[in-house]
Amino acid sequence: MATTRSLAALSSIRATRRPGPRRAGAWTPCAVAGKRAGAAPEHVRRLVAEFDPAVPLDSAVTPPSGWYTDPEFLQIELDRVFLRGWQAVGHIWQVKNPNDFFTGRLGNVEFVICRDANGKLHAFHNVCRHHASLLACGSGQKTCFQCPYHGWTYGLDGTLLKATRISGIKNFNKNDFGLIPIKVATWGPFVLARFDGESTEDNVYDTVGDEWLGSASDLLGTNGIDTSLPHICRREYIINCNWKVFCDNYLDGGYHVPYAHGALASGLQLQSYETLTYERVSVQMCESAPAESDDFDRLGTKALYAFVYPNFMINRYGPWMDTNLAVPLDSTRCKVVFDYFLDKSLLDDQSFIEKSLKDSEQVQVEDIALCEGVQRGLESPAYSVGRYAPSVEMAMHHFHCLMHDNLSG
């Protein structure tokens, strides 16, 4: 049953361990996290406090525009929102086979996800322990990671295999200079990472599901969000808006659909829209309009749109699933990564795939125009705060309350 817990219960797990004395080269998760941590500037604390999650939705005002425009606000978001808790970073098809790897960046964290020759999944900070060069780039297959700068070489399990030209070095133990690990797990078709090093158990499916999705894990796990759909393609968009603008647009309960997405609106019964909120997840569901037997039908009978806090969206409709990951680049730009998955029975139907992707692309173009227009409005001196439409924007308010909980902690 969908519930929204008290804000006190929504707080993210905070790192509490203190690093003790350690030898050169040794590390702890807290030592890495501590490099990012810092007190929020006074003006950022004031911005956080301007939003009051205790005010009922029908009386509440939205967060102030500074949440979407202030560069220092984003730095606090990275530390208190993104670098704590499980984060979606990719999908299992990227590391399907031994020696597969892919890289990514979140804030100032460079990471690499890989599967070793024995099939075990690993994640590391993608930084050479010698002089900080990035090790890997993009995605593909490797049997080891060799630094392009000075040739230090690491196994896919993070072990330092070779440190070149170090004869004469003192107080050096290569076992202390392996790659710094990041906790990694999978849930369904998704690869998750924790940059704070905190979790109750290692890579236990149910535990990860509970920590990442809470009580929504059963609903999502039984509605076709699983490993059975092969990955079709990826599309990436650089959008001139704060990452939360994209999320807000997703979370308005279909409010904007009839005004901005005429073609999409014609395939949905918007009066059937319903929204459920869970601890860190909101789910919007909508029935599709009846299709004629000879019509092209990518939406199926019902669409499910799940938002996993803070920035991951899962869309399940008809034979398709697509995911959207909104990654902040700076305070007014984000990268949104779309991955498309399709029922195996339609993999050979190129006409259906091309038409579906074309229709989806049209929706993205329309949404990008909306989001970039909103960002420009947020930067205008004419705007400070707005209001919620109480009957449809419940998920958006839920998102803002979760943000406030993390940012005020």
Side-chain angles (χ1 to χ4, degrees):
M1 184 174 183
T3 60
T4 303
R5 293 184 178 175
S6 67
L7 290 173
L10 292 171
S11 297
S12 293
I13 298 172
R14 305 292 196 254
T16 57
R17 290 173 291 179
R18 296 182 181 179
R22 59 187 185 274
R23 59 189 179 276
W27 67 277
T28 69
C30 287
V32 176
K35 187 175 180 180
R36 300 187 297 265
E42 178 59 31
H43 80 278
V44 172
R45 291 198 294 271
R46 287 197 302 267
L47 281 173
V48 173
E50 284 183 36
F51 176 75
D52 186 353
V55 176
L57 177 59
D58 56 5
S59 300
V61 297
T62 61
S65 58
W67 280 38
Y68 300 84
T69 60
D70 189 291
E72 290 183 291
F73 195 91
L74 174 61
Q75 291 306 309
I76 299 302
E77 288 179 331
L78 289 168
D79 178 55
R80 298 186 181 180
V81 176
F82 286 100
L83 300 181
R84 300 179 184 183
W86 289 107
Q87 305 292 329
V89 294
H91 58 82
I92 59 173
W93 298 94
Q94 292 174 281
V95 281
K96 178 183 177 182
N97 301 309
N99 301 332
D100 284 349
F101 78 94
F102 69 89
T103 61
R105 178 185 175 96
L106 183 57
N108 64 351
V109 177
E110 302 280 353
F111 61 87
V112 58
I113 312 292
C114 61
R115 194 174 294 279
D116 67 23
N118 295 318
K120 184 176 180 180
L121 192 65
H122 301 273
F124 303 101
H125 288 267
N126 183 24
V127 178
C128 181
R129 299 295 304 281
H130 178 218
H131 285 324
S133 173
L134 298 187
L135 283 173
C137 181
S139 61
Q141 280 210 325
K142 286 182 180 290
T143 57
C144 63
F145 296 118
Q146 184 178 71
C147 179
Y149 198 5
H150 298 108
W152 283 36
T153 304
Y154 304 85
L156 297 189
D157 62 356
T159 303
L160 177 61
L161 300 176
K162 181 172 69 173
T164 61
R165 302 185 68 172
I166 59 169
S167 59
I169 195 171
K170 297 180 179 179
N171 303 319
F172 177 80
N173 182 342
K174 75 173 188 177
N175 293 330
D176 294 335
F177 283 83
L179 296 180
I180 296 178
I182 295 168
K183 189 173 288 289
V184 66
T186 62
W187 188 90
F190 310 124
V191 177
L192 314 174
R194 282 193 78 125
F195 301 100
D196 56 6
E198 297 290 330
S199 184
T200 55
E201 298 182 52
D202 280 338
N203 301 350
V204 178
Y205 186 90
D206 289 339
T207 300
V208 170
D210 289 343
E211 291 179 352
W212 188 47
L213 302 172
S215 57
S217 59
D218 288 341
L219 172 67
L220 299 184
T222 56
N223 275 273
I225 300 171
D226 54 43
T227 60
S228 67
L229 305 179
H231 183 255
I232 299 299
C233 67
R234 166 172 286 194
R235 291 179 175 176
E236 298 184 355
Y237 305 86
I238 304 298
I239 307 178
N240 293 316
C241 72
N242 183 276
W243 68 276
K244 296 187 297 299
V245 170
F246 186 88
C247 295
D248 286 352
N249 178 70
Y250 184 88
L251 293 169
D252 75 353
Y255 196 172
H256 72 283
V257 172
Y259 307 103
H261 305 310
L264 176 61
S266 67
L268 297 172
Q269 297 186 54
L270 293 173
Q271 71 278 8
S272 71
Y273 236 93
E274 62 176 317
T275 299
L276 305 174
T277 57
Y278 299 81
E279 298 90 343
R280 293 168 52 87
V281 174
S282 60
V283 177
Q284 302 170 85
M285 292 181 284
C286 184
E287 295 179 8
S288 302
E292 299 295 332
S293 58
D294 58 347
D295 278 355
F296 165 77
D297 180 22
R298 74 181 179 96
L299 297 179
T301 58
K302 191 169 188 177
L304 180 149
Y305 308 106
F307 178 81
V308 184
Y309 179 79
N311 66 331
F312 189 56
M313 290 140 270
I314 308 168
N315 310 301
R316 188 69 170 93
Y317 48 95
W320 285 100
M321 178 175 73
D322 71 69
T323 61
N324 324 140
L325 182 66
V327 182
L329 299 178
D330 56 42
S331 59
T332 60
R333 288 188 314 135
C334 64
K335 177 172 73 172
V336 181
V337 180
F338 278 70
D339 282 301
Y340 291 88
F341 307 81
L342 181 63
D343 188 275
K344 293 178 181 178
S345 65
L346 290 165
L347 291 180
D348 294 330
D349 193 339
Q350 287 302 311
S351 176
F352 177 80
I353 293 173
E354 290 173 8
K355 180 67 166 61
S356 296
L357 293 175
K358 181 179 178 181
D359 286 358
S360 178
E361 175 73 13
Q362 179 60 37
V363 175
Q364 310 328 318
V365 169
E366 293 163 352
D367 274 335
I368 288 171
L370 293 175
C371 291
E372 292 187 341
V374 166
Q375 184 66 40
R376 291 175 65 179
L378 287 164
E379 295 171 12
S380 164
Y383 185 88
S384 175
V385 297
R387 296 296 302 272
Y388 298 98
S391 64
V392 288
E393 294 187 313
M394 301 83 79
M396 185 189 301
H397 182 252
H398 181 245
F399 169 50
H400 295 158
C401 289
L402 289 168
M403 288 292 301
H404 181 274
D405 181 62
N406 279 168
L407 294 171
S408 59

